[in-house]
Amino acid sequence: FHVFYQQTWGRGQNPKRWRLLTRGAKTDAQGVDDAADWDATKLSFKALRVETSVVEGMEATLRAILAVGEASFEAVEIPGQDAGSRMAGLPPDTTTLLGVAADDLAEALVARSVAGVRVPNAPAAAAQARDALLKGIYARLFDRVVSLVNSALGDRSKSDAFVPRFAARDDRLFVGLLDIFGFECFQRNSLEQLLINYANERLQRHFNLVVFETEARLYRDEGVPVAETTFLDNAPVVEALEEGVLRLLDEECELRKGADGTYVAKLDRLKLDPHVAPFRGSRKNNDEALVGRAFHVRHFAGNVTYTVDGFVAKNRDALPEAAAATLCQSKNALVAALFAVSEFQKPAKGARASRRGGRRRACVAKAFASSLQQLHATIEGTRPFFVRCVKPNDRQEAKRWNGALALSQLRYMGLLQVVEARKRGYPRRYDFEAFARRYGPLVHGGGDGLRICGDEASNDDTASLAEALTADLDLAPRCIVVGRTRVFVK
């Protein structure tokens, strides 16, 4: 979200004038020149060959998000109906930036349609609709930028009028860089932290699969005796999250009267101990008020307590259909394209679907899990290399080292077990021909006939070469082991 600060400073404005940019403690960062960074951001789009009109559309859309964020709602009396609301405080240039008339935008936020009948929104509901709309605009804009970057790197799978034309993708040149989520545990944890930590669990599971289980299977298949390394298998936690916590949340959101308290009660009845447990509270900790409103998850990185207040509403992420329809007709070509097709709607079936117009929007958790599944499919089709990052301290200060903090991270990421596995195993592997080609010249020539010649090497010749290398280089016993199809080297 820092792009908003870049653009605001880049336009010579102070971010303090915008409500959305003053929700935190600061509007600038020490040592950061946001205006210069905004110029660099625009230059990067030029390097990606993005057309000027598209960049201008993105700039206008970012400004429109801030402008709509200024809208406020006041209560109005409507004869014969529930109290409604009226929108105020919208900056004059909002309609130009967003490409829709102010009256159309206001109507989309202050009212909703129920079975074809106009129902007014109270000020709080209108404000929620405004915030949901802003999140929807930014999420789609962010995805579009990702598509632009991927296209520049050769991915032609999702090209459209707003994506620059490059050469066809060559899968042989594919390199994926995944900056994984950081594990989060705050004083108060909500749905956002749950999804981030669920992603961490899935990625840690993949790490375990590659580093430990795949390694152990390889040694068994090759007939190489290596003692297996014990590690913390988080597969049960992943299953409890997917088949329990997240599935139940989606089911609760399908109910018209689904509620946070009902969700926690149903979760308690699933009996997912010890991986997921209800929050019991205690007088000693003065947290009894959270009983019935929170639950624990025993993550690989530690226990986290999640407070469910707002879980159901957040998971529904109810983007106002009227607002989305209004933006489809936007005169801002980029905004209109972002809302032309809703990626988060799927056909629904049954009587309940007919009352909602035959379409059902996928909940946030389900969409997140689906995206994560696609990511895993990509990862599993590649040869992974892992770079695990360790925070030296919690203060974000240079030259400050907290050894206890670093050690705890090494433990919960499983890196100590990785070191143990590498010490026990063989990190370098070669097929017979590659082993002979690389290490054969190291064996002294003479009458022993051990030097490998020819295009192929038999198992016997490879074993002889391994023995000669061990003797000539004075290596430790079993430093080189010949398996069924390859050679393993310490």
Side-chain angles (χ1 to χ4, degrees):
F1 301 106
H2 200 79
V3 68
F4 289 107
Y5 296 91
Q6 290 182 0
Q7 185 188 48
T8 303
W9 284 114
R11 299 185 67 246
Q13 297 178 345
N14 192 318
K16 292 182 179 180
R17 66 169 291 185
W18 301 105
R19 184 184 70 88
L20 294 179
L21 302 186
T22 56
R23 308 297 292 273
K26 297 181 179 181
T27 58
D28 57 357
Q30 184 178 2
V32 176
D33 188 341
D34 285 318
D37 288 345
W38 176 242
D39 291 336
T41 298
K42 291 190 292 185
L43 283 175
S44 68
F45 284 121
K46 185 176 181 180
L48 292 175
R49 308 180 197 175
V50 181
E51 294 183 4
T52 302
S53 59
V54 177
V55 176
E56 291 174 349
M58 286 191 280
E59 293 184 44
T61 304
L62 289 173
R63 292 173 57 192
I65 291 174
L66 295 181
V68 175
E70 294 296 299
S72 59
F73 301 91
E74 53 190 31
V76 295
E77 294 295 331
I78 302 178
Q81 297 186 17
D82 295 334
S85 57
R86 178 172 55 224
M87 187 174 73
L90 201 68
D93 60 348
T94 306
T95 56
T96 302
L97 296 171
L98 197 58
V100 299
D103 292 342
D104 293 339
L105 178 62
E107 176 63 20
L109 299 178
V110 302
R112 64 189 187 278
S113 177
V114 178
V117 178
R118 182 185 185 277
V119 178
N121 285 332
Q128 290 178 353
R130 174 203 62 201
D131 294 344
L133 177 63
L134 295 179
K135 288 192 295 182
I137 296 173
Y138 185 79
R140 287 161 172 76
L141 180 61
F142 187 91
D143 290 342
R144 185 54 55 92
V145 173
V146 172
S147 294
L148 290 169
V149 174
N150 286 341
S151 176
L153 296 177
D155 185 357
R156 304 290 292 123
S157 58
K158 295 183 179 179
S159 297
D160 56 31
F162 293 93
V163 177
R165 303 298 179 183
F166 290 87
R169 170 175 171 171
D170 185 347
D171 287 333
R172 296 173 302 172
L173 304 179
F174 173 80
V175 175
L177 178 62
L178 175 62
D179 183 4
I180 69 171
F181 300 91
F183 186 82
E184 291 190 352
C185 181
F186 302 128
Q187 186 173 0
R188 180 185 177 89
N189 302 285
S190 189
L191 180 62
E192 296 86 352
Q193 284 70 48
L194 176 64
L195 295 180
I196 288 174
N197 292 340
Y198 162 56
N200 264 291
E201 290 284 0
R202 286 290 302 268
L203 293 169
Q204 180 68 22
R205 172 63 183 149
H206 178 72
F207 177 80
N208 290 341
L209 183 66
V210 172
V211 174
F212 297 111
E213 296 184 12
T214 304
E215 290 283 287
R217 187 183 309 114
L218 174 64
Y219 291 137
R220 287 195 301 269
D221 293 345
E222 290 288 337
V224 176
V226 175
E228 292 190 10
T229 302
T230 58
F231 64 95
L232 181 62
D233 187 2
N234 68 330
V237 181
V238 173
E239 182 179 3
L241 289 173
E242 293 179 341
E243 300 302 323
V245 176
L246 298 179
R247 179 183 60 81
L248 194 61
L249 179 59
D250 282 333
E251 292 177 358
E252 189 68 20
C253 290
E254 284 296 307
L255 303 176
R256 179 173 295 181
K257 294 185 178 181
D260 299 326
T262 308
Y263 165 65
V264 172
K266 293 178 180 178
L267 190 61
D268 190 6
R269 291 196 291 269
L270 280 183
K271 304 299 181 183
L272 298 173
D273 294 346
H275 312 296
V276 179
F279 184 84
R280 299 305 183 192
S282 66
R283 292 183 179 179
K284 179 180 179 181
N285 296 328
N286 194 28
D287 55 6
E288 293 178 300
L290 289 178
V291 175
R293 297 171 44 220
F295 63 92
H296 296 293
V297 176
R298 184 175 294 180
H299 289 287
F300 76 93
N303 295 335
V304 179
T305 300
Y306 296 97
T307 305
V308 301
D309 296 342
F311 255 48
V312 172
K314 288 180 179 180
N315 193 44
R316 283 175 176 156
D317 194 28
L319 176 67
E321 293 184 5
T326 299
L327 294 184
C328 283
Q329 308 301 320
S330 172
K331 294 180 180 179
N332 180 329
L334 178 59
V335 172
L338 295 179
F339 285 85
V341 178
S342 177
E343 304 89 338
F344 305 106
Q345 289 185 340
K346 298 180 179 179
K349 300 178 181 180
R352 184 181 299 170
S354 64
R355 292 195 298 269
R356 292 193 301 256
R359 299 191 70 81
R360 178 180 52 142
R361 182 178 294 110
C363 293
V364 170
K366 184 176 291 185
F368 186 87
S370 176
S371 176
L372 193 59
Q373 185 64 40
Q374 294 175 15
L375 172 64
H376 270 270
T378 300
I379 294 175
E380 290 170 0
T382 63
R383 180 185 178 188
F385 295 87
F386 299 97
V387 178
R388 306 306 295 262
C389 301
V390 177
K391 293 170 58 178
N393 63 77
D394 278 331
R395 301 183 182 181
Q396 296 183 342
E397 295 181 5
K399 300 180 181 180
R400 180 181 290 273
W401 175 259
N402 185 330
L405 175 65
L407 182 59
S408 67
Q409 294 173 79
L410 294 175
R411 282 174 174 161
Y412 77 63
M413 288 191 295
L415 293 186
L416 298 183
Q417 289 79 12
V418 172
V419 173
E420 180 184 353
R422 290 302 187 189
K423 287 175 62 179
R424 293 183 178 183
Y426 298 85
R428 289 175 290 277
R429 300 89 186 262
Y430 305 89
D431 60 43
F432 293 157
E433 182 180 357
F435 178 74
R437 184 170 57 249
R438 181 175 181 85
Y439 292 104
L442 295 179
V443 178
H444 297 299
D448 51 15
L450 293 177
R451 184 176 293 277
I452 300 299
C453 301
D455 295 332
E456 297 182 356
S458 67
N459 187 284
D460 292 338
D461 288 333
T462 303
S464 298
L465 174 59
E467 293 175 2
L469 285 171
T470 302
D472 285 3
L473 301 178
D474 195 23
L475 302 178
R478 301 194 62 79
C479 185
I480 303 175
V481 176
V482 180
R484 293 188 174 94
T485 65
R486 65 192 75 186
V487 181
F488 296 81
V489 181
K490 282 282 188 182

